[in-house]
Amino acid sequence: MTAPLWQPSRERVLASNLTAFARAAQPEAGFPLSDYSALHRFSIGEPERFWRLLWRFAGVLGEGEDGPVLVDAQRMPGARWFPEARLNFAENLLRRRDAAPALIAWAEGRPRREVSHAELARDVSRLAQALAAWGVGPGDRVAGFLPNLPEAVVAMLATASLGAIWSSCSPDFGTRGVVDRFGQITPKVLFAADGYGYAGKRFDSLARVAEIRREIASLERVVIVPSAEDEPDLARIPGAGLWHDALAAFPARALVFERFPFDHPLYVLFSSGTTGPPKCILHGAGGTLLQHRKEHLLHVDLKPDDRLFYFTTTGWMMWNWLVSGLASDATLVLYDGSPFHPDAGVLFDLAQRERVAVFGTSAKFIDAAAKAGVQPGRTHDLSSLRTVLSTGSPLAPEGFDWVYENLKRDVQLASISGGTDIIACFVGGNPIGPVHRGEIQAPCLGMRVEVFDDQGRSLRGEKGELVCTAPFPSVPLGFWNDPDGRRFRAAYFEKHPGVWSHGDFAELTPRGGVIIHGRSDAVLNPGGVRIGTAEIYRQVESIPEVLESLAIGQAWQGDTRVVLFVRLREGVTLDEGLAERIRRRIRDNTTPRHVPAKLVQVADIPRTKSGKIVELAVRDVVHGRPVANREALANPEALALFEGLAELAR
């Protein structure tokens, strides 16, 4: 057993929300809740008591929680949570109405902006009135093609306040990618920005908005948010109006919220769409709210007035997760632009200036910051920083090292994992427990997480499929346009009936932590041995010359061989010396089976809009199969680099 990288102080443990919750839960448990593992056992052993306690501890605004908590508990999908409860999602996020900042926004090329809780409520009131006047009501869809700006938060809250359904894409999507998503859910209203900034450049969005307007016949109104220009020219978009005109048409008045059933639809989120048409995943208001409140309060230890930051776009579920921080009376810090412009320190400039307490990012950003050689712990005042969150892909052990050596020693590093599919986490942080190198701290409360082999046997200390064997509140309501639920069940419940199969290749460690080894659908299988791609990436990307890597299994002579693609620093060539160093690093730290049979240098590696590399798309290209929905990629042109490679024909 190695020593932990971090251990919370006794004072921090005693002051934590998790400790306060354990005290509140103790009378219900019937056994001592002396540590996290005991609390987790209670949360999965007594789910009705746990979730009702959480509702009350979090101060959820609603009614009917005294009734049944869980009906048809043996069915997944099909279990129903809080069937008699009613709430309004927006009411819970707009509970505060004072002059303290609710939103602080940084955007490339634009001035810093601050919106108070009172101003946020005022603008939501005005926009909700506008939406109602335009005929938007419960169940209608409203879409956002927007940067991560305050207007996106206002538009979502106004939509949710009426019981309508919100869905968003970031403005770096092309027309086809937007239509493939929003076209399926037939929105009435589209909010869109006129443009956005990224890496020192300004990008116009109006031409694409005009095309989207023409292609989605259900749209009755388009509202343009000025972002690139103060007074954008709307001549290209017939009938479009400006954001400030929509607000000015209605006076601010006290918000009155209609409360809806617990499972009333709130969001449509989209799968990446790199292996077929994007799935439209429908999430309910109650499940989303309870999961986010649990994660913010108990796993992140978020407190009132904390500054909560997550580097995300509106097209990633972490944006929805971030916005829910308003329900904890936190201040959200929004950023729109490149995380490396004008230099690799821009997000740490933000963290210092805004006194960020919780800093959320991706494993790819941490790796890139390490490769860039930045040492924010020496160059910035990060005294306010308590917690660093990482998700998007597995965080390598070297990423843990960089945080504690170059960012801050006294900080909780919570690697978290879940997904768009559940709009929440299966595994994540434990603010009262230690952080060990390369491990996610724990399964999340209320989530009966296990690892299965192919026969459905539970494993510990071995690699297998990450599953959840009991219902949880944020199981999606289903897929849009899937009336009999067939596609939904096939996506998550076909492999092990009644069990959620998440698609991660994972391992539960003896001390209760979790390691994610990559996506199970991208697992390599040379000679019948299952290898998670993250195991290879952890070794390869520790070599200074390697910026990024991607591994696939190539069908070859009746078996599968491992092929590793590497993107190297500018000016570096994959010669035999570097290739041998890469192979030796993999062999010495994993097994000979992990060593790639082929090692190929490429100029770029394709990734989704949220920065995840797309192994399956590259595997299809290498095998001569078509790749659907290239629009889902941030850099679809990179796929051409993998076509017809001579190195892979021998």
Side-chain angles (χ1 to χ4, degrees), residues 172 606-611 630-637:
D172 53 347
R607 61 190 63 82
T608 65
K609 303 288 187 182
S610 59
R630 292 172 180 245
E631 282 273 354
L633 300 179
N635 55 339
E637 67 282 354

Side-chain angles (χ1 to χ4, degrees), residues 49-83:
R49 291 181 178 182
F50 170 76
W51 290 104
R52 196 196 313 272
L53 276 167
L54 178 69
W55 178 302
R56 293 170 178 169
F57 183 81
V60 171
L61 301 176
E63 57 206 49
E65 77 280 6
D66 291 332
V69 173
L70 182 57
V71 177
D72 293 328
Q74 303 309 311
R75 295 179 58 197
M76 190 164 60
R80 294 177 59 217
W81 293 89
F82 293 98

Side-chain angles (χ1 to χ4, degrees), residues 51 286-295 424 447 472-474:
W51 290 104
T288 300
L289 179 66
L290 270 191
Q291 285 279 36
H292 290 181
R293 293 291 278 138
K294 177 197 71 178
E295 291 174 6
M447 310 296 272
F472 50 93
S474 64

Side-chain angles (χ1 to χ4, degrees), residues 329-632:
D329 294 335
T331 297
L332 310 185
V333 181
L334 313 178
Y335 180 81
D336 194 73
S338 167
F340 291 100
H341 182 81
D343 55 50
V346 63
L347 296 188
F348 305 112
D349 296 342
L350 175 151
Q352 173 179 279
R353 163 75 188 274
E354 306 302 347
R355 306 185 310 284
V356 167
V358 180
F359 182 96
T361 187
S362 65
K364 285 293 182 186
F365 173 81
I366 290 174
D367 181 63
K371 297 282 186 184
V374 297
Q375 296 179 305
R378 296 185 181 182
T379 57
H380 292 72
D381 175 6
L382 300 176
S383 55
S384 62
L385 185 62
R386 295 198 314 268
T387 304
V388 173
L389 306 175
S390 171
T391 192
S393 58
L395 181 62
E398 292 75 15
F400 284 73
D401 297 339
W402 181 84
V403 168
Y404 285 103
E405 292 170 6
N406 295 288
L407 187 59
K408 191 173 183 179
R409 288 203 174 276
D410 185 18
V411 71
Q412 180 198 0
L413 172 56
S415 179
I416 63 179
S417 184
T420 295
D421 317 75
I422 65 166
I423 204 167
C425 300
F426 280 120
V427 294
N430 166 19
I432 66 171
V435 173
H436 289 276
R437 186 175 187 263
E439 289 188 22
I440 297 173
Q441 286 179 283
C444 288
L445 297 173
M447 310 296 272
R448 191 183 285 272
V449 172
E450 298 184 48
V451 169
F452 275 10
D453 65 11
D454 288 340
Q455 285 71 48
R457 294 178 295 226
S458 190
L459 306 172
R460 184 169 288 274
E462 298 180 54
K463 300 165 191 170
E465 178 91 11
L466 183 74
V467 300
C468 193
T469 58
F472 50 93
S474 64
V475 170
L477 305 180
F479 292 162
W480 198 261
N481 291 330
D482 182 28
D484 61 2
R486 186 177 306 171
R487 289 192 299 127
F488 176 60
R489 290 191 298 274
Y492 306 112
F493 302 101
E494 195 168 66
K495 191 170 184 180
H496 303 291
V499 171
W500 177 286
S501 296
H502 194 55
D504 279 341
F505 193 49
E507 175 185 353
L508 300 178
T509 71
R511 58 184 155 220
V514 185
I515 300 172
I516 305 293
H517 293 285
R519 293 292 296 169
S520 58
D521 52 10
V523 163
L524 310 174
N525 202 23
V529 178
R530 300 183 78 196
I531 294 171
T533 53
E535 300 173 72
I536 295 176
Y537 303 152
R538 284 169 181 157
Q539 305 309 321
V540 177
E541 293 175 14
S542 67
I543 295 173
E545 292 91 337
V546 179
L547 293 176
E548 200 172 21
S549 59
L550 182 147
I552 65 164
Q554 181 192 15
W556 188 255
Q557 296 181 351
D559 196 0
T560 298
R561 67 180 181 182
V562 177
V563 178
L564 179 67
F565 301 97
V566 291
R567 182 171 72 89
L568 304 179
R569 288 187 184 276
E570 188 173 352
V572 177
T573 301
L574 183 66
D575 57 22
E576 190 50 45
L578 178 56
E580 179 54 31
R581 282 171 54 209
I582 291 172
R583 293 190 186 99
R584 190 185 317 118
R585 173 78 188 190
I586 296 170
R587 184 184 299 110
D588 290 350
N589 292 281
T590 55
T591 74
R593 291 278 189 183
H594 289 71
V595 178
K598 289 290 182 177
L599 192 53
V600 182
Q601 180 177 356
V602 288
D604 199 7
I605 287 177
R607 61 190 63 82
T608 65
K609 303 288 187 182
S610 59
K612 298 178 184 178
I613 61 173
V614 286
E615 292 128 324
L616 299 187
V618 169
R619 189 174 70 189
D620 284 343
V621 169
V622 165
H623 288 93
R625 298 190 289 263
V627 176
N629 296 301
R630 292 172 180 245
E631 282 273 354

Side-chain angles (χ1 to χ4, degrees), residues 217-232:
S218 63
L219 285 174
E220 299 173 6
R221 191 172 295 265
V222 175
V223 180
I224 300 298
V225 175
S227 179
E229 304 288 341
D230 291 333
E231 293 292 335

